[in-house]
Amino acid sequence: MAVWNPDNIKDIAESVGIASLNDDVLQALSSDIEYRLSQVLEEALKFMRHSRRMTLSTQDVSQALRVLDIEPLYGYESTRPLKFGEASIGPGQPLFYVEDEEVDFEKLINAPLPKVPREISITAHWLAVEGVQPSIPQNPTPADSRNQELVPKGPGANQNLAAINGSDNVTIKPLVKHVLSKELQLYFSSVCSAILDENNDENRVAALASIRTDPGLHQLVPYFVNFIAEKVTHNLNDLFILSQTLQITSALLENQYLLLDPYVASIIPPVLTCLVGRHLGSSPDPLSHHSLRNIAAALLGSLCRKYAKSSRTLKPRLARTCLKHFLDPTKPLGSNYGGIIGLQAIGGTEVVRALILPNVKDYESLIREPLEDEGSPKQAEAEAVLTALVGALQTLEDDSVNGMNGLTNGKAGSESQNLAAKVGQLVAGRVLAMGRPQFVKALLNA
């Protein structure tokens, strides 16, 4: 049974001079009209869905007609809903028309003038500062971002549109490939809160031991990596939280059941931040952050030893970063210290011989003035940097060298001068004061 009334087709035919039409022809034309109308409406609904609207407009129909290569309608581009009136021109022959809005000229003339629109202007604001989004009206709040992440996406996300399209029973796949069970969610929150609890050492040790040995943490690895990155980014002034995040990283690396190769690129940035960060912690003690940097250097060395074979560019990229922070005069002495111990941890003797030893003499000028400033906080930091330099150079000492048990009186003076010319007066003085001839010879022959 046709939905389109064949009598309408008969009326249209009579209006153009066709007196009579066969019933079969009327039925065929009625079916064709229904098909054409449904085709136009389907295309119009596509435009409506792509525009993310819930109301079909005349503009959607017009665009659908253009897509189907049909001449569009004219005169129905108003954004306001059209009101149709009904007029009877005879028995059973209603006529529908668009009602025109009546305008009172007196009110129109006496109405106040609209406000002058503002001039177009451009205002700049920060989207993010060092990876942190500032809380200003132009930027979305964290709550808005979380709510946007929870909004369902896909063709069946909007139930009303899905019902119109006939796909309201389609099951939408989740955005993540796996869903954490309630047990894992509870485990993750409990472990994180226990590790960050500064007043309960027993729970903290137990939580780290669980991460270190538990074989069923595969699904939690990306959550732990994200937790580490977030805590390091937002807690640079809290040495306790920074040290605990490094402890979590160390525990993950020691867990033999976890495959961390896909996450190495995400694990390294927090570790590097704790190694060469400009300002770590808020303690007045200038050396309070050195223990954190030492832990980060040890972790960096473990990462290089474990994953250098799977990523050939890992060592060169880390060495380049540490060397930059070691030699940059604009960086604080803490960053220089982190660069030195980082280079030593990354490659051992090879990196020390190739990157640290040739630059020791030039670097001496950066710490000479702080070392001479008695009683200042920078003196203690410069002393720690000098100690780190000497400690890194000790890796060059070859314990198997037996050809030299001491410095003879005749050669002591010349070798002291040669050593000072190679590594500078400060480092040479420290090395000679240690009384280790093999160490001196290793530096001269390196």
Side-chain angles (χ1 to χ4, degrees):
M1 179 179 177
V3 178
W4 189 264
N5 192 353
D7 293 339
N8 293 334
I9 302 175
K10 189 174 182 180
D11 293 338
I12 296 171
E14 290 176 354
S15 66
V16 295
I18 303 175
S20 62
L21 281 177
N22 192 353
D23 292 340
D24 295 336
V25 175
L26 289 175
Q27 192 67 30
L29 288 174
S30 177
S31 301
D32 186 69
I33 290 173
E34 289 179 18
Y35 169 73
R36 301 298 177 185
L37 285 176
S38 63
Q39 190 179 22
V40 172
L41 287 176
E42 286 179 1
E43 293 295 333
L45 286 173
K46 291 180 182 178
F47 283 101
M48 181 190 71
R49 285 193 293 269
H50 284 295
S51 301
R52 297 184 179 180
R53 286 185 282 103
M54 295 292 298
T55 304
L56 187 67
S57 66
T58 55
Q59 183 68 22
D60 298 327
V61 178
S62 180
Q63 295 291 350
L65 292 174
R66 286 191 175 93
V67 168
L68 296 173
D69 199 17
I70 303 174
E71 185 177 4
L73 301 176
Y74 300 102
Y76 293 95
E77 297 296 330
S78 174
T79 56
R80 296 178 297 176
L82 300 177
K83 295 181 180 180
F84 290 90
E86 181 180 354
S88 180
I89 59 174
Q93 293 185 356
L95 176 65
F96 295 93
Y97 63 95
V98 179
E99 292 184 353
D100 292 329
E101 183 181 358
E102 294 183 0
V103 179
D104 189 348
F105 282 103
E106 185 176 355
K107 290 183 180 179
L108 183 63
I109 293 172
N110 296 329
L113 295 175
K115 294 182 179 180
V116 179
R118 288 185 176 183
E119 294 184 359
I120 299 176
S121 61
I122 299 176
T123 303
H125 69 276
W126 289 102
L127 291 175
V129 179
E130 294 184 358
V132 180
Q133 178 178 282
S135 298
I136 57 177
Q138 290 83 356
N139 288 335
T141 62
D144 294 337
S145 301
R146 287 193 295 269
N147 293 336
Q148 187 64 27
E149 291 176 359
L150 297 176
V151 172
K153 300 175 178 63
N158 191 311
Q159 297 180 357
N160 296 324
L161 292 180
I164 295 174
N165 199 28
S167 58
D168 50 339
N169 294 324
V170 176
T171 303
I172 305 301
K173 292 184 179 180
L175 295 179
V176 292
K177 293 184 178 180
H178 61 86
V179 178
L180 288 181
S181 63
K182 291 183 179 180
E183 291 78 8
L184 280 178
Q185 294 179 25
L186 180 61
Y187 173 85
F188 178 74
S189 59
S190 301
V191 165
C192 292
S193 59
I195 291 176
L196 298 182
D197 187 1
E198 194 171 357
N199 301 320
N200 197 329
D201 295 340
E202 184 178 354
N203 288 351
R204 188 165 62 250
V205 172
L208 290 173
S210 176
I211 297 176
R212 195 175 290 112
T213 58
D214 198 322
L217 300 181
H218 300 282
Q219 289 186 323
L220 288 178
V221 171
Y223 295 91
F224 276 121
V225 172
N226 184 62
F227 175 78
I228 292 168
E230 182 181 355
K231 291 302 178 183
V232 171
T233 302
H234 296 93
N235 296 278
L236 292 178
N237 293 328
D238 195 328
L239 289 177
F240 173 75
I241 293 180
L242 293 178
S243 63
Q244 293 310 304
T245 56
L246 293 183
Q247 293 293 339
I248 297 175
T249 306
S250 176
L252 290 173
L253 291 176
E254 293 176 15
N255 192 326
Q256 58 180 344
Y257 303 104
L258 299 180
L259 178 65
L260 298 180
D261 294 71
Y263 305 100
V264 172
S266 301
I267 293 175
I268 286 178
V271 177
L272 276 179
T273 300
C274 295
L275 176 66
V276 296
R278 295 181 65 91
H279 303 290
L280 300 176
S282 55
S283 174
D285 183 6
L287 302 182
S288 59
H289 51 85
H290 280 208
S291 59
L292 177 71
R293 298 182 191 272
N294 292 334
I295 297 173
L299 272 178
L300 207 62
S302 300
L303 286 167
C304 288
R305 289 189 296 271
K306 194 170 184 180
Y307 301 104
K309 293 182 179 179
S310 59
S311 177
R312 296 185 177 181
T313 61
L314 180 62
K315 270 190 177 181
R317 286 189 288 113
L318 291 177
R320 192 181 304 115
T321 301
C322 291
L323 182 64
K324 177 183 176 181
H325 286 80
F326 165 41
L327 298 177
D328 192 347
T330 63
K331 301 290 184 182
L333 293 176
S335 297
N336 298 154
Y337 176 85
I340 295 170
I341 61 176
L343 286 172
Q344 180 183 356
I346 289 169
T349 306
E350 297 178 1
V351 174
V352 171
R353 181 181 289 108
L355 299 180
I356 294 182
L357 182 61
N359 296 297
V360 170
K361 186 177 181 181
D362 294 334
Y363 180 77
E364 181 182 288
S365 59
L366 299 180
I367 59 174
R368 181 180 295 277
E369 184 177 349
L371 283 173
E372 296 173 354
D373 190 3
E374 294 289 340
S376 67
K378 285 192 174 182
Q379 183 187 20
E381 289 192 83
E383 186 70 29
V385 171
L386 183 57
T387 304
L389 276 175
V390 176
L393 294 176
Q394 287 183 29
T395 59
L396 300 176
E397 183 179 359
D398 187 3
D399 295 331
S400 63
V401 176
N402 298 318
M404 180 178 178
N405 295 322
L407 293 176
T408 60
N409 293 332
K411 294 184 178 180
S414 61
E415 291 193 356
S416 300
Q417 294 177 358
N418 294 336
L419 185 63
K422 188 167 187 176
V423 298
Q425 294 289 344
L426 294 176
V427 176
R430 291 294 177 91
V431 172
L432 293 174
M434 296 171 67
R436 292 165 59 178
Q438 294 179 359
F439 188 15
V440 176
K441 185 174 181 179
L443 290 177
L444 293 175
N445 295 334

